[in-house]
Amino acid sequence: MALRGPAGLGPGCRRPLDEAVAAAEGREAPGVLAAGGAPEDEEEDDGRGRGLLRWDGFSAWLHCVCVVGFDLELGQAVEVIYPQHSKLTDKEKTNICYLSFPDSNSGCLGDTQFCFRFRQSSGRRVSLHCLLDQFDKDLPVYLKSLVLISKLPYIHFFHTVLKQIAPEYFEKSEPYLEAACNDVDRWPAPVPGKTLHLPIMGVVMKVRIPTCHDKPGTTQIVQFTQQADTNISVILPTVHEVDLFRCFCPVFLHSQMLWELVLLGEPLVVMAPSPSESSETVLALVNCISPLKYFSDFRPYFTIHDSEFKEYTTRTQAPPSVILGVTNPFFAKTLQHWPHIIRIGDLKPTGEIPKQVKVKKLKNLKTLDSKPGVYTSYKPYLNRDEEIIKQLQKGVQQKRPSEAQSVILRRYFLELTQSFIIPLERYVASLMPLQKSISPWKSPPQLRQFLPEEFMKTLEKTGPQLTSRIKGDWIGLYRHFLKSPNFDGWFKIRRKEMTQKLEALHLEALCEEDLLLWIQKHTEVETVDLVLKLKNKLLQADREHLPVKPDTMEKLRTHIDAIILALPEDLQGILLKTGMT
């Protein structure tokens, strides 16, 4: 599945897809539910009767579905794009062709699923992509891949969809694919917080769309009685999370060090034997700092044919902040200058535990047959938490299910990330001006500047030691983090949220004023100017989705109407006709 969102949407264009992507990225999805709306877990209708145009329902989930074929004589080619009106540039088609098949003799036999990302021609990076390959084992000269392209990073969900439709498609061809796409077009929109029943080719999947407030690893889907769910074929407790322990299993002794590397946005390469293992491991790394969003680029599966190959492998500058998943042995030489390389063997099936890899010096990564290991010279800032290691090792000895191990590991990462981010949240909140400093007749006050040294001083009394048992150089970790893309992305979002909050408080302060009394003391010109400014405030609140209470907006409209009626008739007519500019 590949994810690619509709380009060219203006800032005021709000669609369910945008809200779902925002929630998946851990940021607020504005305007999802109005006051008095349905509760979060209310089940959605079938999506019809909302005035949707043909393929609008499909576009809320997928950009398109592609069939990519590989012939030994002709090479790769996109054979089918459905719906047929879907747009892909030649560059995007080329990327999809090469990413749809193994990049080397990786031993992928039969059907396999994996995901990849590619960059939109507009420069925007799309979300995660997964696909299924199939080839004739008796005559391995022709391979075919079914690829779902979407902006939504619902990897587990789309993997499940592919398991349902891909085997049948390879037998029945295009009519079956068209019917499956028609089913998707009837699905309700992926509104965060909604529990949906999604039928596709005779199978009904029950899913819950995550929100930005969900905690990682928590199953929020409502489990109904067996009788009420007799029509449900598949219940998915999550649409986007991976089997964390299975992916970290070969390296769980070093999981805390890998958490630091991902947190700091360090360049990281995962060398795996197959695209499936590569993509799963990269996704697990990106998810390990949740609920903090990973703001750098990451490629679950990356090939030597990728359009960014030269950009990411050049030796003329430092490696970029990106996580690459690769399978081609050629990368062992091409990326030898990268500071952190994880080399893994075959991921074992659930219940089997691979041998733990060791941390090794980068200079030892010389040959194509280098042993599995974490090749880095990085010295962790924090001391290793031996308790979580013992807990996971005990689970291995007791043959605890991988799902249970994943819950333990995910909770550990969550608590570690929260312990790290809470002091930052507390300090950033202190940058907010006091509410009493907000005057309705002045522009909203500015946020105070983030001062790293001032923040460091707060750690002595309100640092991570309040919530974490882990010792180490926390201050050094924070100093490094403040220079990383993850901090830049996180602070940009927090600053925007607080600025919007200030604008909302300013609106509320305006609404509490006696504006009719104010206009009695001012000229008509000043009154007209006030009306125009208030109208622009309303427009801004709607355009930027400011966190304003509905009654505040209504009160402001009432104020505007009252002021206009207090003016002479000629001015009333002009202002009533004047829209919000």
Side-chain angles (χ1 to χ4, degrees):
M1 148 209 144
L3 309 187
R4 176 187 186 279
L9 295 180
C13 184
R14 181 176 55 189
R15 295 182 180 179
L17 176 60
D18 304 314
E19 296 169 351
V21 171
E25 292 180 347
R27 53 190 169 88
E28 191 71 47
V32 173
L33 285 176
E40 266 202 344
D41 59 354
E42 177 183 317
E43 305 232 356
E44 187 63 86
D45 59 26
D46 64 359
R48 300 296 94 187
R50 299 195 303 270
L52 296 182
L53 300 175
R54 174 72 164 155
W55 298 119
D56 272 7
F58 180 92
S59 298
W61 292 89
L62 296 167
H63 176 71
C64 66
V65 178
C66 296
V67 178
V68 183
F70 175 79
D71 188 285
L72 284 180
E73 296 181 359
L74 303 176
Q76 297 100 319
V78 177
E79 298 177 349
V80 176
I81 299 179
Y82 204 86
Q84 296 176 353
H85 66 268
S86 302
K87 301 294 184 183
L88 289 173
T89 66
D90 290 341
K91 183 179 179 181
E92 290 168 346
K93 289 179 183 178
T94 299
N95 276 332
I96 291 169
C97 281
Y98 282 114
L99 288 166
S100 297
F101 299 103
D103 190 28
S104 62
N105 184 21
S106 58
C108 296
L109 296 177
D111 299 341
T112 181
Q113 284 189 338
F114 57 93
C115 67
F116 58 85
R117 299 176 87 222
F118 64 94
R119 188 176 293 174
Q120 251 181 287
S121 294
S122 63
R124 295 171 56 201
R125 296 188 185 101
V126 292
S127 294
L128 307 167
H129 320 259
C130 63
L131 55 92
L132 182 145
D133 292 355
Q134 172 163 325
F135 69 92
D136 190 329
K137 298 177 185 177
D138 299 323
L139 189 64
V141 296
Y142 185 76
L143 299 87
K144 187 172 284 192
S145 294
L146 182 63
V147 186
L148 306 183
I149 301 181
S150 174
K151 192 177 181 181
L152 296 170
Y154 297 162
I155 296 304
H156 184 58
F157 169 72
F158 286 118
H159 272 237
T160 305
V161 171
L162 280 171
K163 285 179 183 178
Q164 300 297 331
I165 67 173
E168 292 287 332
Y169 163 72
F170 287 123
E171 290 183 9
K172 301 176 182 178
S173 198
E174 288 189 39
Y176 182 89
L177 183 59
E178 181 177 358
C181 290
N182 282 324
D183 281 349
V184 175
D185 189 44
R186 297 185 184 94
W187 287 356
V191 177
K194 292 290 185 178
T195 299
L196 309 177
H197 291 176
L198 307 175
I200 186 166
M201 305 309 292
V203 174
V204 180
M205 296 176 292
K206 181 178 179 180
V207 302
R208 179 184 177 277
I209 306 303
T211 75
C212 61
H213 304 295
D214 292 349
K215 287 186 177 181
T218 56
T219 302
Q220 306 242 354
I221 191 167
V222 180
Q223 299 285 358
F224 293 105
T225 62
Q226 188 66 31
Q227 183 177 2
D229 273 349
T230 53
N231 64 325
I232 304 298
S233 309
V234 179
I235 298 180
L236 296 181
T238 177
V239 295
H240 63 293
E241 293 178 339
V242 297
D243 188 338
L244 204 60
F245 181 72
R246 179 172 177 268
C247 299
F248 270 93
C249 196
V251 294
F252 75 75
L253 289 177
H254 319 297
S255 55
Q256 187 172 303
M257 179 182 70
L258 296 177
W259 174 85
E260 285 191 24
L261 292 175
V262 176
L263 178 76
L264 300 175
E266 286 288 304
L268 192 58
V269 182
V270 175
M271 294 184 177
S274 73
S276 176
E277 287 145 341
S278 161
S279 62
E280 287 184 28
T281 305
V282 171
L283 291 176
L285 288 169
V286 170
N287 288 337
C288 78
I289 63 170
S290 183
L292 185 66
K293 181 177 181 286
Y294 182 77
F295 283 92
S296 295
D297 193 10
F298 62 97
R299 303 297 177 92
Y301 174 51
F302 189 77
T303 78
I304 60 175
H305 304 287
D306 196 285
S307 56
E308 280 79 55
F309 174 76
K310 289 184 179 180
E311 175 187 341
Y312 286 161
T313 58
T314 180
R315 289 174 179 260
T316 59
Q317 58 188 32
S321 176
V322 62
I323 302 178
L324 297 182
V326 303
T327 61
N328 196 320
F330 178 72
F331 281 107
K333 181 178 180 181
T334 307
L335 300 178
Q336 195 173 10
H337 63 294
W338 277 48
H340 319 292
I341 298 173
I342 305 172
R343 188 155 198 143
I344 60 174
D346 293 319
L347 292 182
K348 301 295 183 181
T350 302
E352 295 185 33
I353 306 301
K355 183 180 178 180
Q356 287 295 294
V357 302
K358 297 180 179 180
V359 174
K360 304 178 181 182
K361 298 294 183 181
L362 276 168
K363 63 181 180 181
N364 295 329
L365 185 68
K366 293 181 178 178
T367 62
L368 298 182
D369 58 348
S370 292
K371 294 181 180 179
V374 180
Y375 294 82
T376 180
S377 299
Y378 178 79
K379 302 295 182 184
Y381 288 96
L382 305 181
N383 302 334
R384 190 162 75 175
D385 187 343
E386 297 296 341
E387 287 191 31
I388 185 64
I389 301 299
K390 292 178 182 178
Q391 195 173 2
L392 292 173
Q393 286 177 329
K394 183 178 180 181
V396 171
Q397 295 167 358
Q398 297 178 345
K399 296 186 176 181
R400 185 185 292 145
S402 179
E403 294 82 2
Q405 293 278 78
S406 286
V407 169
I408 294 172
L409 188 57
R410 198 180 298 278
R411 183 173 62 239
Y412 164 73
F413 281 138
L414 172 63
E415 292 173 354
L416 188 57
T417 304
Q418 287 180 328
S419 293
F420 180 81
I421 210 71
I422 285 174
L424 278 164
E425 291 278 7
R426 185 182 293 115
Y427 173 72
V428 168
S430 73
L431 304 181
M432 189 84 164
L434 296 176
Q435 188 166 352
K436 65 181 181 181
S437 68
I438 299 175
S439 168
W441 308 115
K442 297 179 181 179
S443 297
Q446 299 293 309
L447 297 173
R448 287 199 305 115
Q449 185 180 355
F450 187 106
L451 300 175
E453 291 306 317
E454 184 180 64
F455 165 68
M456 295 300 171
K457 292 178 181 178
T458 67
L459 296 177
E460 184 178 350
K461 293 183 179 180
T462 59
Q465 71 274 9
L466 297 179
T467 53
S468 177
R469 62 175 177 265
I470 299 175
K471 306 296 183 180
D473 184 10
W474 284 97
I475 291 181
L477 184 62
Y478 279 113
R479 289 192 188 279
H480 196 155
F481 177 73
L482 295 182
K483 301 175 184 176
S484 73
N486 286 333
F487 171 74
D488 289 342
W490 172 82
F491 184 62
K492 183 178 179 181
I493 289 177
R494 292 293 290 117
R495 183 170 53 196
K496 180 180 178 182
E497 290 172 347
M498 292 193 295
T499 300
Q500 290 181 333
K501 180 63 176 177
L502 284 173
E503 292 285 353
L505 290 173
H506 186 248
L507 267 180
E508 292 178 9
L510 270 172
C511 289
E512 296 303 319
E513 288 294 308
D514 188 343
L515 298 183
L516 288 178
L517 179 62
W518 183 90
I519 65 174
Q520 293 175 13
K521 302 176 182 179
H522 293 77
T523 66
E524 288 183 0
V525 173
E526 291 173 316
T527 301
V528 169
D529 184 58
L530 174 65
V531 170
L532 294 177
K533 286 182 178 179
L534 292 177
K535 286 191 173 186
N536 280 331
K537 283 282 186 182
L538 284 175
L539 179 63
Q540 179 191 14
D542 183 62
R543 182 180 64 246
E544 299 180 7
H545 316 303
L546 298 182
V548 182
K549 301 173 185 177
D551 61 332
T552 299
M553 299 288 283
E554 190 57 40
K555 191 182 295 185
L556 193 57
R557 292 188 184 94
T558 303
H559 278 322
I560 293 173
D561 292 340
I563 295 172
I564 292 176
L565 290 175
L567 291 169
E569 289 188 7
D570 56 338
L571 285 177
Q572 288 184 29
I574 295 173
L575 291 174
L576 288 173
K577 292 177 182 178
T578 303
M580 290 178 286
T581 57

